[in-house]
Amino acid sequence: MPKITLRDADKSYGNGIINAVSDLNLDIEDGAFMCLLGPSGCGKTTTLRMIAGLENLTSGEIKVGERVVDNVATATFVPPERRDMGLVFQSYALWPHLTIERNTDFGLRLRNVPKAEREARVNAVMKTLGIEKYRDRYPTQLSGGQQQRVALARMLAVNPNVLLLDEPLSNLDARLRLEMRAELKRLHAEFKTTIVFVTHDQWEAMTLATSIAVMSEGRLQQVGSPNDIYDRPANRFVAEFVGSPPINIIELGAGSDLAMAARRYFSDHVPALGHAGSVGLRPEAISVSERAEDMPRGAFGVDATVTGVLPTGGSWILELRTAETTLFATTHIAPRLKDGSRARFWVAPDALHVFAADGTRLTQADDMLAAVARAQPHTTKKIA
């Protein structure tokens, strides 16, 4: 399957004053598992529907390889049924009066696939998804997770070049979502199908995708691998949207005690970053100790009070309070600190995320802070 390319894609409704999608430029490579990630109303489902052909562009172009499937300027539009794409909706959209087998082979019957080939394909995909024993049942006799597998089987049976998934796991409980994530990961590895997956769940995107496109208010914010998105967010929106607990943000222009401490730190170690607007601290990057002398040289740190120790099962969240600011840290080591303990928290220089006043990442800060980190001896993380 050639790659899918969107160029300057716009979609507006009504009077066109507000675009659902604006100036979208996106490349989806052959065999990729691309997640469109963002909050409700960010344009991710509209983008998926434009790729599928269920929505016409207002302006711009969509190409599949060298084939133009939608271009307003040249009045080109290829209808959905000729794009060789399969779409799985948030609702499973199964025919209630048809058996599971008939639901699965529905698309093959529409395409007049010969009976022998149709049965072979249906048997193979049902076996792969573990639903062959339900072939004579009806959708109402299956659980939500089983119905989701049937919806996927129906699409995979026709062997589309692209599989489009619109928040297909949102109706499942937590355990089933986990199982279906693993199933989708396995299916992608087995079938090598290009998958475009819409979700607002950051963990679905991080665990499933080979590439993530983060959107906000109809605009693309960043495209990259899950590690790129998490470790080097392009702006504050991406940094704050991805991560749980969310990243701690210090507004450097504020008059809080933590803002003043951060300004002093940059003045002492990286004067060139004096124009920064804010700095972010990932909870897992924060080390905490009752002894101030445990903080390594060159790290950014402040005294705080532990105001909460919150167990989450395999890890703990520490709530830290300075004179005017609350921060959250996480650890996988059982903390000895209790509520009310005085402690020192710190973050290594190369774990600081620095943003300009307009929220964009100051990429030059990464090299500067990495140099500060290299100048200091290596220390292991300590949680008291």
Side-chain angles (χ1 to χ4, degrees):
M1 175 69 187
K3 75 176 182 180
I4 302 168
T5 305
L6 293 88
R7 289 290 174 263
D8 303 321
D10 283 4
K11 178 62 182 179
S12 63
Y13 298 94
N15 56 19
I17 295 175
I18 299 177
N19 281 3
V21 175
S22 300
D23 301 321
L24 179 59
N25 290 281
L26 183 63
D27 294 325
I28 303 172
E29 300 294 337
D30 178 21
F33 196 131
M34 166 71 77
C35 275
L36 304 179
L37 174 67
S40 297
C42 72
K44 55 188 186 293
T45 293
T46 300
T47 299
L48 189 81
R49 291 173 64 85
M50 292 191 300
I51 294 171
L54 300 179
E55 299 280 359
N56 296 80
L57 293 175
T58 302
S59 63
E61 181 180 78
I62 299 177
K63 294 173 66 177
V64 178
E66 296 304 315
R67 181 192 186 198
V68 177
V69 296
D70 198 347
N71 186 304
V72 178
T74 61
T76 301
F77 181 78
V78 177
E81 65 271 16
R82 292 175 53 200
R83 296 194 184 190
D84 197 16
M85 298 179 182
L87 177 59
V88 177
F89 297 94
Q90 183 173 350
S91 61
Y92 311 132
L94 301 177
W95 295 107
H97 64 290
L98 298 181
T99 64
I100 299 311
E101 182 177 11
R102 286 297 307 275
N103 266 284
T104 303
D105 73 6
F106 184 80
L108 297 175
R109 289 176 180 270
L110 288 180
R111 297 185 181 200
N112 296 315
V113 175
K115 181 179 179 181
E117 182 182 350
R118 186 174 70 236
E119 290 179 348
R121 283 205 209 176
V122 168
N123 289 336
V125 76
M126 291 181 74
K127 183 176 181 180
T128 297
L129 288 168
I131 57 173
E132 70 272 22
K133 61 184 176 182
Y134 307 125
R135 63 191 316 130
D136 296 323
R137 295 189 189 182
Y138 291 88
T140 54
Q141 297 173 309
L142 302 185
S143 69
Q146 291 163 345
Q147 290 184 51
Q148 182 64 76
R149 286 181 167 87
V150 176
L152 284 170
R154 181 177 56 193
M155 287 297 100
L156 291 171
V158 300
N159 194 27
N161 283 322
V162 179
L163 188 57
L164 308 175
L165 306 176
D166 187 8
E167 301 203 48
L169 310 184
S170 59
N171 294 330
L172 305 180
D173 61 36
R175 183 180 180 84
L176 279 175
R177 280 202 305 271
L178 183 61
E179 291 176 358
M180 286 306 301
R181 287 175 196 168
E183 191 73 22
L184 283 171
K185 194 85 169 179
R186 183 182 63 80
L187 287 172
H188 179 249
E190 181 175 342
F191 287 92
K192 310 299 183 186
T193 303
T194 300
I195 297 178
V196 184
F197 185 101
V198 166
T199 183
H200 64 273
D201 187 326
Q202 56 175 303
W203 292 123
E204 278 185 2
M206 295 291 286
T207 55
L208 289 173
T210 58
S211 183
I212 298 174
V214 184
M215 299 182 69
S216 174
E217 298 182 349
R219 294 187 178 276
L220 185 64
Q221 303 296 310
Q222 185 176 359
V223 180
S225 69
N227 287 340
D228 290 337
I229 296 295
Y230 192 81
D231 295 335
R232 294 177 63 87
N235 54 45
R236 272 188 57 174
F237 173 82
V238 176
E240 293 180 273
F241 188 78
V242 178
S244 180
I247 193 170
N248 302 285
I249 296 290
I250 304 172
E251 298 284 356
L252 297 180
S256 68
D257 58 334
L258 206 52
M260 289 187 287
R263 289 197 296 269
R264 285 195 302 270
Y265 175 81
F266 285 135
S267 177
D268 293 342
H269 294 88
V270 197
L273 298 181
H275 64 292
S278 59
V279 59
L281 319 176
R282 289 284 187 199
E284 69 276 9
I286 297 177
S287 299
V288 185
S289 175
E290 289 181 296
R291 304 192 314 161
E293 57 269 28
D294 288 337
M295 186 180 84
R297 288 177 300 160
F300 167 67
V302 175
D303 290 331
T305 300
V306 177
T307 54
V309 179
L310 313 174
T312 63
S315 62
W316 290 261
I317 299 174
L318 299 179
E319 183 183 59
L320 307 170
R321 179 73 185 176
T322 66
E324 301 172 289
T325 310
T326 299
L327 298 173
F328 292 94
T330 59
T331 176
H332 292 287
I333 303 172
R336 295 190 299 273
L337 293 165
K338 306 296 183 184
D339 289 7
S341 299
R342 290 292 295 169
R344 165 65 63 98
F345 80 83
W346 69 86
V347 178
D350 51 357
L352 298 172
H353 300 269
V354 185
F355 304 100
D358 65 357
T360 58
R361 185 183 188 88
L362 290 175
T363 55
Q364 67 270 29
D366 298 328
D367 292 336
M368 296 178 186
L369 291 167
V372 174
R374 287 194 298 270
Q376 308 304 326
H378 176 73
T379 57
T380 57
K381 182 174 182 177
K382 298 179 181 179
I383 297 286

